[in-house]
Amino acid sequence: MYRTHNCGELTISDIGKRVTLCGWVQKNRTLGGMSFIDLRDRYGITQLAFNMDTNEALCSQARTIQREYVIQATGQVIERSSKNSKIPTGAIEIEVEELKVLNKSAVPPFTIEDETDGGDELRMRYRYLDLRRKPLMQNMLLRHQLAMATRNYLSDGGFIEVETPFLIKSTPEGARDFVVPSRMHKGEFYALPQSPQTFKQLLMVAGFDKYFQIARCFRDEDLRADRQPEFSQIDCEMSFVEQEDIFNTFEGLVKQLFKKIKGISLPDFSRMTYNDAMKYYGCDKPDTRFGMPLVEIQHMVHGKGFKVFDEAELVAGICVRGAAHYSRKQLDALTDFVKRPQVGAKGLVYVKFNEDDTFKSSVDKFFDEVSLRSWADAFDAQAGDLMLILAGAKTSTRSALSALRLEMAAQLNLIDKNVFKPLWVTDFPLLEWDEDTQRYYAMHHPFTAPKTQDLQLLYSKPEEVRANAYDLVINGIEIGGGSIRIFNREVQSKMFEVLGFIEEEAHKQFGFLMNAFEYGAPPHGGIALGLDRLCAVFGGTDSIRDYIAFPKNNAGKDTMIDAPASLTQEQLKEIGIDIK
Amino acid sequence: MYRTHNCGELTISDIGKRVTLCGWVQKNRTLGGMSFIDLRDRYGITQLAFNMDTNEALCSQARTIQREYVIQATGQVIERSSKNSKIPTGAIEIEVEELKVLNKSAVPPFTIEDETDGGDELRMRYRYLDLRRKPLMQNMLLRHQLAMATRNYLSDGGFIEVETPFLIKSTPEGARDFVVPSRMHKGEFYALPQSPQTFKQLLMVAGFDKYFQIARCFRDEDLRADRQPEFSQIDCEMSFVEQEDIFNTFEGLVKQLFKKIKGISLPDFSRMTYNDAMKYYGCDKPDTRFGMPLVEIQHMVHGKGFKVFDEAELVAGICVRGAAHYSRKQLDALTDFVKRPQVGAKGLVYVKFNEDDTFKSSVDKFFDEVSLRSWADAFDAQAGDLMLILAGAKTSTRSALSALRLEMAAQLNLIDKNVFKPLWVTDFPLLEWDEDTQRYYAMHHPFTAPKTQDLQLLYSKPEEVRANAYDLVINGIEIGGGSIRIFNREVQSKMFEVLGFIEEEAHKQFGFLMNAFEYGAPPHGGIALGLDRLCAVFGGTDSIRDYIAFPKNNAGKDTMIDAPASLTQEQLKEIGIDIK
């Protein structure tokens, strides 16, 4: 062992001990005849002291040591004259007697500090140095704690962890697969799993009863800021359960994680149907840390000659408390905001309910005070509030209002970062219509069970059939989702029919699962929670990349190891493929 | 919830309770006016009872239910008249009042019993049914327990679990990589990791101090019985440690696993150098549950006119206690055994040290009794023992003797399946010479540290340089291995030189790791244990496939899901590759 202690554990009670520490040089400074080195490791920082008067050679040596050198120092723990109360080791220092440079370091391309001067690209390239910084190191520790606590909760609850295979079969349904050419079977390919979905259902058929896995999943999609080609999910499945059992189990999990890791006791989770979420929040993952629900007023606004409203499928808005003072400039900026392509509205109507009980709106030409006051009633607006109204097609208007609602909450600082509001969104539609291909797709996946009471709508009004499918949302972030699965052969056949699969095609794609279902499939259901996103929620930042040790950049590249890269001709020949 | 209890938990203390159980029908039998169904789930078997006299309709329904149907039964827990002491639920049965078939089952292609009538191929194809059988289910539970206990031990010991990437870069060194074509960067490929080796070393550079992961690894090798293209390893790395620290930590882990899972307290592990293992056991993973060491006698046998011995680099054998009674036929069979291509010897010399103190050997023509008696002294043979001797090149003769030693132990039943003998094999050679390519290869990997005291041999006698590399062997099975790594830039350069890498080439392959080492690499080392093999040792069987939920067959195929498989032209086009 190179050391007797780590750099985070020595305190006032260790004074007098002779210790050996190892670590990286965080800082090296000279104060008159003294030199001090801040020695850093994963556990903390301990100050090393050198004195020109008592040991000139050693102190001179210490002065040559640069940042990020790896050193080993032996000496006595002594009390510091000027204590640092910000760190646990701040009351002591080491009076060094022996010093050894274990390894030198070149000057790092950016500073290894909580706030660094390195840009994104540079830090990705030198990820091993970026990970030395405390915020990233803490993120990885958080991830470790979350994973351990999750596994122990599930294992204690009777779940078995089963590792499912990575080299599986490509299924054209859903997102794109990454594929792996087979050398032994030239011209054939494995695919990397987008999720262990079919395997976990097979495990239920096999009688495993309760399964879990923290599983790596792969999707070859064009990347966005919060997407990675490989990501991890807490993947679970249970037999002989209904939706309520899944909720109980995983609400319990999330509560325990918050308790263990953040010391927060969460109350029972709220629930909201998908329809309500869309109606009142404009999206299926509402942030319920603040109110400001969407209010629909199209029934109150027609026939006054305002074409925008008259022609709109939906006229709806939000009431922003105490924002009647917003200036023309601020309102123009909001109009610009909603007109951004990402938000997509055509314009913004505002109605100020002034403190003096008067109204001022951008549609004064069309609507008199009586009208505006009736809107205020609908919005539950008070004097001093600002109503912001959008109009247009239902789906896009809701989506734009959802973005506007979040923007207003941010502008008015309505979101408390220390508050956590988990929410079950339930009763998702079973199917969604795709205009491009003119067919229905399973919203969740083709094995999601429709609600029994909606089954009779499957042929007549497929879009109205609700599924036993649910998402878990925390603070407006979709943490995961799941469903009760179809385990009945006849319902499955109907489902494939509605999805436009012919029996043969269904068999080609899902044959092994359908075969398995012939041999006694139990009722079952499950859920998958995104570990990366869960980490981000716990860590209080937005980017999942900050919680992945070695992420890819937005082009799917790992610039540190330079992957992907070209292969040798010999390698290509061996797997029997040509590059086009 | 579909049930109130599982099928393994009801006992005599539950009598009188009204319960609902779910599960699969293991057996359905009629005894006069009664019918009994053995209902099975992961937790056990509970007997359901039906009576024609008290409920004819229900009993008639029960009689129509076939094996592997999934049913739900509600009724009263009653005491059984004829108890089954072999199962925990054997004292009770359920007097069923309500019965529901949740799902029918086709007749399974093999019986779902501890001993099944299904062949390997069939069971692989219907793996989800094979996994229903108790032995396989137990294996998966064992694996789960091992994984959980491993993670908790390491986490408690300050190790952080870090998930390293799967989409990495191909390195021509070592075994073949599975590769993944990149769609976004056409003509470029990711590779699946053969191990997280470089990433765990980067994590040490990043100051993570103690890392672990149960990591899936991939090797595109031609398969053998105990190989799988994907396998899992308990992967670890530590900073500021010497070999002894690694031994302490992982000896502690293995001891704890044996204690927790098998209730066995293991003594401190034995240690043996690689050279001793080769000399005394003929292989680097000796089974030390029994003795029978190799004895070298070439110095005693030359010059007697027996060409086989005279020309041999090595003459060595084993002493088989109490086997002097072996018949001509048995000895011929042993000769056949050693001449099998897998063993590869040219022939077998035997010397019987008879009970009457006489000798009988297959080389009586060349060696008199005095000679044979002197051999017996060397072998420490007693009257009644049988000496078996091979001759030839050192490496192949040792290897053949190792196989013969194991065969004799099996024939004489010397191996106690309930005994576990872990062993550290140490001081592996740093390099091995490859005749084909006429160069040295790193025996472990190119970052393995040579022993400091052997460094001066690196240029003069590279093959004699020992490494700080070690294997953990239990009962003759290599569970894993590791090494202390080179962290010094100069030693690494020398190493690459001896391995015949030019600097540029080394940089192309290992550049990012070598770069990282410029920024303050700590001394570090690690180990990786094969989880699949560890399971097999704990489970007491040979095949790792029995401990993998969904393994590939010997052709690398998953016959259940039919992978690998061909892709559509559209898929091929999208990733920009042609099949040759």
Side-chain angles (χ1 to χ4, degrees):
Chain A
M1 200 45 117
Y2 279 74
R3 62 190 172 193
T4 58
H5 295 78
N6 66 48
C7 297
E9 63 182 320
L10 294 171
T11 63
I12 206 90
S13 66
D14 296 297
I15 282 171
K17 282 187 189 157
R18 196 164 189 272
V19 301
T20 302
L21 301 183
C22 290
W24 287 260
V25 173
Q26 178 73 29
K27 215 185 275 181
N28 189 350
R29 61 199 186 285
T30 293
L31 277 174
M34 297 287 292
S35 273
F36 298 97
I37 286 176
D38 280 356
L39 191 65
R40 185 197 70 231
D41 66 11
R42 187 184 113 195
Y43 311 95
I45 285 179
T46 299
Q47 180 164 293
L48 309 178
F50 303 86
N51 192 326
M52 268 297 181
D53 292 341
T54 56
N55 194 335
E56 192 184 330
L58 195 72
C59 192
S60 299
Q61 188 199 346
R63 288 178 180 184
T64 66
I65 288 174
Q66 294 169 36
R67 280 186 178 221
E68 302 307 321
Y69 274 34
V70 185
I71 63 172
Q72 182 187 45
T74 300
Q76 196 105 17
V77 183
I78 59 171
E79 189 169 356
R80 269 207 224 181
S81 49
S82 74
K83 297 191 174 54
N84 178 351
S85 61
K86 285 181 197 153
I87 57 172
T89 60
I92 60 97
E93 64 189 8
I94 313 299
E95 193 174 47
V96 179
E97 294 152 23
E98 291 169 39
L99 180 65
K100 192 174 171 187
V101 173
L102 296 172
N103 225 338
K104 292 185 175 182
S105 171
V107 177
F110 49 84
T111 55
I112 312 293
E113 306 276 359
D114 289 6
E115 297 289 333
T116 180
D117 56 355
D120 257 12
E121 272 302 304
L122 197 64
R123 287 188 293 119
M124 288 285 276
R125 214 179 147 79
Y126 293 88
R127 185 72 171 180
Y128 45 88
L129 296 180
D130 206 21
L131 286 169
R132 275 189 198 166
R133 296 191 311 112
K134 199 174 169 189
L136 258 77
M137 179 80 80
Q138 296 292 1
N139 287 352
M140 299 307 140
L141 273 166
L142 169 66
R143 186 182 180 105
H144 165 60
Q145 288 168 343
L146 274 171
M148 288 301 298
T150 297
R151 288 203 190 89
N152 282 315
Y153 172 89
L154 292 171
S155 183
D156 291 348
F159 284 77
I160 312 181
E161 186 180 21
V162 180
E163 296 166 62
T164 54
F166 281 91
L167 297 172
I168 66 164
K169 189 182 182 171
S170 185
T171 50
E173 187 79 353
R176 271 190 218 91
D177 288 321
F178 283 105
V179 297
V180 181
S182 165
R183 180 180 55 84
M184 293 214 277
H185 306 279
K186 293 215 169 56
E188 298 190 345
F189 292 77
Y190 302 99
L192 300 179
Q194 294 185 27
S195 87
Q197 184 64 35
T198 44
F199 289 96
K200 69 178 178 177
Q201 294 194 247
L202 289 172
L203 287 171
M204 294 305 103
V205 176
F208 275 56
D209 208 73
K210 294 176 182 177
Y211 142 90
F212 85 98
Q213 186 183 194
I214 296 187
R216 199 73 59 88
C217 304
F218 303 86
R219 277 180 208 173
D220 187 8
E221 294 178 308
D222 299 318
L223 301 176
R224 285 182 287 165
D226 64 337
R227 287 272 176 87
Q228 285 280 319
E230 49 178 314
F231 56 95
S232 296
Q233 68 185 35
I234 301 165
D235 191 55
C236 303
E237 196 80 6
M238 302 169 80
S239 288
F240 303 114
V241 292
E242 288 149 347
Q243 187 165 293
E244 205 59 35
D245 304 308
I246 308 263
F247 286 0
N248 284 337
T249 303
F250 292 92
E251 191 162 321
L253 167 63
V254 175
K255 279 181 180 172
Q256 185 162 120
L257 294 178
F258 271 95
K259 187 76 203 157
K260 274 201 169 172
I261 288 158
K262 297 188 82 76
I264 294 173
S265 296
L266 291 179
D268 288 346
F269 295 4
S270 306
R271 298 186 189 185
M272 193 184 292
T273 64
Y274 171 86
N275 285 339
D276 278 355
M278 295 308 289
K279 188 177 169 79
Y280 297 114
Y281 297 90
C283 73
D284 60 2
K285 46 183 180 185
D287 188 337
T288 49
R289 283 176 297 178
F290 62 98
M292 215 190 289
L294 275 51
V295 178
E296 302 185 351
I297 55 165
Q298 67 272 16
H299 57 286
M300 307 169 71
V301 301
H302 282 170
K304 301 284 174 145
F306 186 44
K307 243 176 104 178
V308 172
F309 282 5
D310 286 345
E311 291 174 357
E313 183 185 6
L314 180 71
V315 180
I318 52 176
C319 172
V320 190
R321 299 270 169 233
H325 62 79
Y326 258 50
S327 66
R328 182 78 221 175
K329 199 175 153 196
Q330 283 175 301
L331 290 166
D332 285 348
L334 286 182
T335 306
D336 289 345
F337 173 82
V338 298
K339 288 167 100 171
R340 290 163 56 187
Q342 306 95 303
V343 181
K346 296 244 164 58
L348 175 71
V349 169
Y350 71 82
V351 182
K352 289 180 174 184
F353 190 167
N354 295 314
E355 292 285 0
D356 63 3
D357 206 39
T358 63
F359 288 88
K360 169 76 191 118
S361 85
S362 54
V363 288
D364 286 349
K365 245 197 286 185
F366 303 98
F367 300 95
D368 57 15
E369 205 203 298
V370 175
S371 292
L372 298 179
R373 197 170 293 277
S374 73
W375 299 4
D377 285 348
F379 277 90
D380 194 24
Q382 316 291 327
D385 291 351
L386 172 69
M387 291 169 267
L388 299 173
I389 298 165
L390 300 180
K394 196 197 262 183
T395 309
S396 58
T397 303
R398 281 177 168 176
S399 159
L401 276 169
S402 170
L404 181 61
R405 176 179 171 268
L406 292 173
E407 172 64 20
M408 294 316 297
Q411 288 195 10
L412 299 178
N413 213 6
L414 299 182
I415 297 174
D416 184 344
K417 287 246 170 206
N418 298 310
V419 165
F420 296 90
K421 290 268 190 182
L423 172 75
W424 290 109
V425 179
T426 65
D427 298 4
F428 272 78
L430 184 68
L431 305 162
E432 43 186 1
W433 178 256
D434 183 64
E435 279 297 332
D436 288 348
T437 51
Q438 288 286 307
R439 53 165 276 208
Y440 285 104
Y441 281 88
M443 194 156 182
H444 200 71
H445 60 70
F447 298 101
T448 297
K451 286 199 182 290
T452 315
Q453 62 269 41
D454 291 358
L455 254 179
Q456 88 276 6
L457 301 170
L458 201 52
Y459 293 109
S460 54
K461 296 177 178 171
E463 68 284 355
E464 285 185 20
V465 177
R466 291 164 304 162
N468 281 318
Y470 34 81
D471 274 359
L472 177 62
V473 173
I474 303 180
N475 294 357
I477 292 167
E478 183 201 325
I479 296 299
S483 66
I484 298 298
R485 325 300 183 186
I486 299 172
F487 70 104
N488 177 294
R489 188 75 178 78
E490 286 150 49
V491 177
Q492 189 65 64
S493 288
K494 278 188 198 164
M495 181 73 178
F496 281 134
E497 201 182 320
V498 173
L499 287 173
F501 280 93
I502 49 170
E503 191 79 14
E504 197 186 348
E505 201 182 337
H507 248 283
K508 202 174 161 198
Q509 276 188 42
F510 303 104
F512 58 98
L513 189 53
M514 289 170 76
N515 279 344
F517 279 13
E518 298 291 321
Y519 294 97
H524 61 290
I527 195 166
L529 306 180
L531 180 58
D532 309 299
R533 291 217 191 137
L534 196 62
C535 288
V537 165
F538 271 75
T541 63
D542 286 340
S543 168
I544 62 167
R545 201 191 279 176
D546 292 343
Y547 299 86
I548 297 172
F550 299 103
K552 306 281 187 289
N553 72 11
N554 282 347
K557 274 188 176 282
D558 183 330
T559 54
M560 178 187 70
I561 63 171
D562 189 25
S566 49
L567 297 182
T568 63
Q569 279 305 317
E570 199 183 343
Q571 280 178 298
L572 287 174
K573 197 177 155 191
E574 217 164 37
I575 53 176
I577 62 174
D578 269 337
I579 293 164
K580 252 180 207 157
Chain B
M1 200 47 117
Y2 280 74
R3 64 190 170 193
T4 58
H5 295 78
N6 66 48
C7 297
E9 62 183 321
L10 294 170
T11 62
I12 206 90
S13 66
D14 297 297
I15 282 171
K17 283 187 188 159
R18 196 166 190 270
V19 299
T20 302
L21 301 182
C22 290
W24 286 260
V25 174
Q26 178 73 29
K27 216 185 275 178
N28 188 350
R29 61 200 186 286
T30 293
L31 278 175
M34 296 287 293
S35 274
F36 299 97
I37 286 177
D38 281 355
L39 190 65
R40 185 197 71 231
D41 67 11
R42 187 185 113 196
Y43 312 94
I45 284 179
T46 299
Q47 180 164 292
L48 308 178
F50 304 86
N51 193 326
M52 270 297 183
D53 291 341
T54 57
N55 194 336
E56 192 184 330
L58 195 71
C59 191
S60 299
Q61 188 199 345
R63 288 179 179 183
T64 66
I65 288 174
Q66 293 169 36
R67 280 187 179 220
E68 302 307 320
Y69 274 34
V70 184
I71 63 172
Q72 182 186 45
T74 300
Q76 196 105 18
V77 182
I78 58 170
E79 189 167 358
R80 268 206 224 180
S81 50
S82 75
K83 297 192 174 52
N84 177 351
S85 62
K86 285 182 198 152
I87 57 172
T89 59
I92 59 96
E93 63 189 9
I94 313 298
E95 194 174 47
V96 178
E97 294 151 24
E98 293 168 39
L99 179 65
K100 193 176 171 186
V101 173
L102 297 173
N103 226 336
K104 292 185 176 184
S105 171
V107 177
F110 49 84
T111 56
I112 313 293
E113 305 276 358
D114 290 6
E115 298 288 334
T116 180
D117 56 355
D120 258 11
E121 272 302 302
L122 198 63
R123 286 188 293 118
M124 288 285 275
R125 214 180 146 77
Y126 294 88
R127 185 72 172 181
Y128 46 86
L129 296 180
D130 206 21
L131 285 169
R132 275 189 198 166
R133 297 192 308 113
K134 198 174 168 188
L136 257 77
M137 179 79 80
Q138 296 292 0
N139 287 351
M140 298 307 139
L141 273 166
L142 169 66
R143 186 182 180 105
H144 166 60
Q145 289 168 340
L146 273 171
M148 287 302 297
T150 297
R151 288 205 191 89
N152 282 315
Y153 173 88
L154 292 171
S155 183
D156 291 347
F159 285 77
I160 311 181
E161 186 180 21
V162 180
E163 295 166 63
T164 55
F166 280 93
L167 297 173
I168 65 164
K169 188 183 182 172
S170 184
T171 50
E173 188 77 355
R176 270 190 219 90
D177 288 322
F178 283 106
V179 297
V180 181
S182 165
R183 180 180 55 84
M184 293 214 275
H185 305 279
K186 292 214 168 55
E188 297 190 345
F189 292 77
Y190 302 99
L192 300 178
Q194 295 185 26
S195 88
Q197 184 65 35
T198 44
F199 289 96
K200 69 179 178 176
Q201 293 194 247
L202 288 173
L203 286 171
M204 294 304 105
V205 175
F208 275 55
D209 209 72
K210 294 176 182 176
Y211 141 91
F212 84 98
Q213 187 183 193
I214 296 187
R216 199 73 58 88
C217 303
F218 303 86
R219 278 181 210 174
D220 187 9
E221 293 178 310
D222 299 320
L223 300 177
R224 285 183 287 167
D226 63 338
R227 286 272 176 89
Q228 285 281 320
E230 48 179 313
F231 57 95
S232 297
Q233 68 185 34
I234 302 165
D235 191 55
C236 303
E237 196 80 6
M238 302 168 81
S239 288
F240 303 114
V241 292
E242 287 149 346
Q243 187 165 293
E244 205 59 35
D245 304 308
I246 308 262
F247 286 0
N248 285 336
T249 302
F250 292 92
E251 191 162 320
L253 168 63
V254 174
K255 280 180 181 173
Q256 185 163 119
L257 294 178
F258 270 96
K259 187 75 202 159
K260 274 201 168 171
I261 288 158
K262 297 188 83 77
I264 294 173
S265 296
L266 291 178
D268 288 346
F269 295 4
S270 305
R271 297 187 189 185
M272 192 185 292
T273 65
Y274 172 86
N275 284 340
D276 279 356
M278 296 308 289
K279 188 177 168 80
Y280 297 114
Y281 297 89
C283 72
D284 60 2
K285 44 182 180 186
D287 188 338
T288 49
R289 284 176 295 180
F290 62 99
M292 215 190 289
L294 276 52
V295 177
E296 302 185 352
I297 55 164
Q298 66 273 15
H299 57 286
M300 307 170 70
V301 301
H302 282 170
K304 301 284 173 142
F306 184 45
K307 242 176 102 178
V308 172
F309 282 4
D310 285 347
E311 291 174 357
E313 184 186 6
L314 179 72
V315 180
I318 51 176
C319 172
V320 189
R321 300 268 170 234
H325 61 80
Y326 258 51
S327 67
R328 182 78 222 175
K329 200 174 152 195
Q330 284 174 300
L331 290 166
D332 285 347
L334 286 182
T335 306
D336 290 344
F337 173 83
V338 299
K339 286 166 102 172
R340 289 163 56 187
Q342 306 96 302
V343 181
K346 297 242 164 56
L348 175 70
V349 169
Y350 71 82
V351 183
K352 290 181 174 183
F353 189 168
N354 294 314
E355 291 285 0
D356 64 3
D357 207 39
T358 63
F359 287 88
K360 169 75 190 120
S361 86
S362 54
V363 287
D364 284 351
K365 245 198 287 187
F366 303 99
F367 301 96
D368 57 14
E369 203 203 300
V370 174
S371 291
L372 298 179
R373 196 171 292 277
S374 74
W375 299 4
D377 285 348
F379 277 91
D380 193 24
Q382 317 290 327
D385 293 350
L386 171 69
M387 290 170 269
L388 299 173
I389 299 165
L390 300 180
K394 195 197 261 183
T395 308
S396 59
T397 303
R398 281 177 167 177
S399 159
L401 276 169
S402 169
L404 181 61
R405 177 177 170 268
L406 292 173
E407 172 64 19
M408 294 316 298
Q411 288 196 9
L412 299 178
N413 213 6
L414 299 181
I415 295 175
D416 184 343
K417 286 248 172 204
N418 297 312
V419 165
F420 295 90
K421 291 269 192 184
L423 172 75
W424 289 109
V425 179
T426 65
D427 298 5
F428 272 77
L430 184 68
L431 305 163
E432 44 186 2
W433 179 255
D434 182 65
E435 279 297 333
D436 287 348
T437 51
Q438 288 287 305
R439 52 165 276 207
Y440 285 105
Y441 280 89
M443 194 157 182
H444 199 70
H445 60 71
F447 298 100
T448 298
K451 286 199 181 289
T452 315
Q453 62 269 40
D454 290 359
L455 254 180
Q456 87 276 6
L457 301 171
L458 200 52
Y459 293 110
S460 54
K461 297 177 177 170
E463 69 282 357
E464 285 186 17
V465 176
R466 292 165 303 162
N468 282 319
Y470 34 81
D471 274 358
L472 177 62
V473 173
I474 304 180
N475 294 356
I477 292 167
E478 183 202 326
I479 296 299
S483 66
I484 298 298
R485 326 299 183 187
I486 300 172
F487 70 104
N488 177 294
R489 187 74 180 79
E490 285 150 49
V491 177
Q492 188 64 65
S493 287
K494 277 188 199 165
M495 182 71 178
F496 280 135
E497 199 182 321
V498 173
L499 287 173
F501 279 94
I502 50 170
E503 191 79 13
E504 198 186 347
E505 201 181 337
H507 249 283
K508 201 174 160 197
Q509 276 187 42
F510 302 105
F512 58 97
L513 189 53
M514 288 170 77
N515 278 344
F517 279 13
E518 297 291 320
Y519 294 97
H524 62 289
I527 195 167
L529 307 180
L531 179 58
D532 310 299
R533 290 216 192 138
L534 196 61
C535 288
V537 164
F538 271 76
T541 63
D542 285 340
S543 168
I544 62 167
R545 201 191 282 177
D546 293 343
Y547 299 86
I548 297 173
F550 300 103
K552 307 281 187 289
N553 72 11
N554 282 347
K557 274 189 176 282
D558 183 330
T559 54
M560 177 186 70
I561 63 171
D562 188 25
S566 49
L567 297 183
T568 63
Q569 278 307 316
E570 198 182 345
Q571 280 179 298
L572 288 173
K573 198 177 154 192
E574 216 163 38
I575 52 174
I577 63 175
D578 269 337
I579 292 163
K580 252 179 210 160

Coordinates of all heavy atoms in Angstrom, one line a residue, chain A residues 30 49 72 140 188 198 317 328 345 474:
Chain A
T30 N 3.8 29.4 -2.0 CA 4.9 29.7 -1.1 C 4.5 31.0 -0.3 O 4.0 31.9 -0.9 CB 6.2 30.0 -2.0 OG1 6.6 28.8 -2.6 CG2 7.3 30.6 -1.1
A49 N 2.6 20.8 4.5 CA 3.4 21.9 4.8 C 4.9 21.6 4.8 O 5.4 20.5 5.2 CB 3.0 22.4 6.2
Q72 N 3.7 11.3 -3.3 CA 3.5 10.6 -2.0 C 4.3 11.3 -1.0 O 5.5 11.7 -1.1 CB 4.2 9.2 -2.2 CG 4.0 8.2 -1.0 CD 4.8 6.9 -1.2 OE1 5.9 7.0 -1.6 NE2 4.1 5.8 -0.9
M140 N -20.7 11.1 -10.8 CA -20.4 9.7 -11.0 C -20.7 8.9 -9.6 O -21.2 7.8 -9.6 CB -19.0 9.4 -11.5 CG -18.7 10.0 -12.8 SD -19.9 9.6 -14.1 CE -20.0 11.2 -14.9
E188 N -24.8 -12.3 -42.4 CA -25.8 -12.1 -41.3 C -25.3 -11.2 -40.2 O -24.1 -10.9 -40.1 CB -26.1 -13.5 -40.7 CG -26.7 -14.4 -41.8 CD -27.2 -15.7 -41.2 OE1 -26.9 -16.0 -40.0 OE2 -28.0 -16.4 -41.9
T198 N -38.3 -7.7 -25.3 CA -38.8 -9.1 -25.5 C -38.2 -10.1 -24.5 O -38.9 -11.0 -24.1 CB -38.5 -9.5 -27.0 OG1 -37.2 -9.1 -27.3 CG2 -39.4 -8.8 -27.9
G317 N -55.0 29.6 -23.2 CA -54.0 30.5 -22.7 C -53.6 30.1 -21.3 O -54.1 29.2 -20.7
R328 N -44.2 46.6 -23.1 CA -44.4 46.4 -24.5 C -43.2 45.5 -25.0 O -43.4 44.5 -25.7 CB -44.4 47.7 -25.2 CG -44.6 47.7 -26.8 CD -46.0 47.4 -27.1 NE -46.1 46.5 -28.2 CZ -47.2 46.0 -28.7 NH1 -48.4 46.3 -28.2 NH2 -47.2 45.1 -29.7
A345 N -45.7 28.9 -32.7 CA -47.0 29.6 -32.8 C -46.9 30.7 -33.8 O -45.9 31.2 -34.2 CB -47.4 30.2 -31.4
I474 N -41.0 13.4 -13.4 CA -40.6 14.2 -12.2 C -40.2 15.6 -12.7 O -39.3 15.7 -13.5 CB -39.4 13.6 -11.4 CG1 -39.8 12.1 -11.0 CG2 -39.1 14.4 -10.2 CD1 -38.7 11.4 -10.2

